[in-house]
Amino acid sequence: MKSTFHIAQLYLRFALAIGFLLPVADRLGLSGAPGQSGVAWGSWDNFVVYTNTLVPFANHWMAGAMGFLATVTEVSVAVLFIVGFKIRIAALASFALTLTFALCMAIFLGFKAPFTYSVWADSAGSLLLASIPVYRWSIDHKFEMED
């Protein structure tokens, strides 16, 4: 059971990390042009318009700033998950970010939207990851062993 537990937390870390990096690549235009199959935004401008639908009370500039902060957080969390450094802090940041996304989606896009994109599951997975006591196969674990 213990070895399965360690594999599961590693799998969750990588799944969440990739789940953050792929949409970032899309909004930066790295996944293809707008309108191509499998491309949600295809450009930063399209992403900011979408962000504004999640925070309709914000003006376009503020939506862009919020989108930028979310993007920086997503990339940072993803890198920390992959390298296994400060996992608990990254998981809590991931939880807060995805919970915020889920709530905004539910309020402004409808109850079904965050379920369609598995945002609630990402949020719950992040909270679960934050509660794990030991992160084997991580830089965090190496530092714990030296103490």
Side-chain angles (χ1 to χ4, degrees):
M1 177 66 179
K2 272 191 169 189
S3 64
T4 304
F5 177 75
H6 295 304
I7 292 169
Q9 67 85 19
L10 183 65
Y11 178 51
L12 181 56
R13 279 175 34 208
F14 286 159
L16 288 168
I18 293 167
F20 281 131
L21 292 176
L22 289 177
V24 167
D26 186 333
R27 71 187 68 145
L28 297 178
L30 302 174
S31 298
Q36 279 187 323
S37 178
V39 175
W41 305 292
S43 73
W44 181 257
D45 290 335
N46 289 342
F47 172 68
V48 172
V49 169
Y50 172 74
T51 302
N52 219 170
T53 65
L54 296 180
V55 287
F57 49 85
N59 63 28
H60 186 74
W61 181 90
M62 182 62 80
M66 293 171 85
F68 176 78
L69 290 173
T71 299
V72 168
T73 303
E74 289 170 313
V75 170
S76 300
V77 164
V79 169
L80 292 171
F81 282 165
I82 290 169
V83 300
F85 185 66
K86 301 292 183 186
I87 297 168
R88 186 162 291 106
I89 292 168
L92 290 171
S94 175
F95 166 68
L97 183 65
T98 54
L99 180 63
T100 302
F101 284 161
L103 291 171
C104 287
M105 289 175 83
I107 292 166
F108 297 111
L109 299 179
F111 177 77
K112 184 181 170 193
F115 288 103
T116 300
Y117 296 100
S118 301
V119 184
W120 292 118
D122 289 345
S123 183
S126 297
L127 188 57
L128 180 63
L129 187 60
S131 70
I132 294 173
V134 176
Y135 303 105
R136 175 139 333 138
W137 303 312
S138 69
I139 294 171
D140 291 345
H141 185 64
K142 180 175 178 6
F143 287 143
E144 288 172 0
M145 292 175 50
E146 291 176 0
D147 290 340

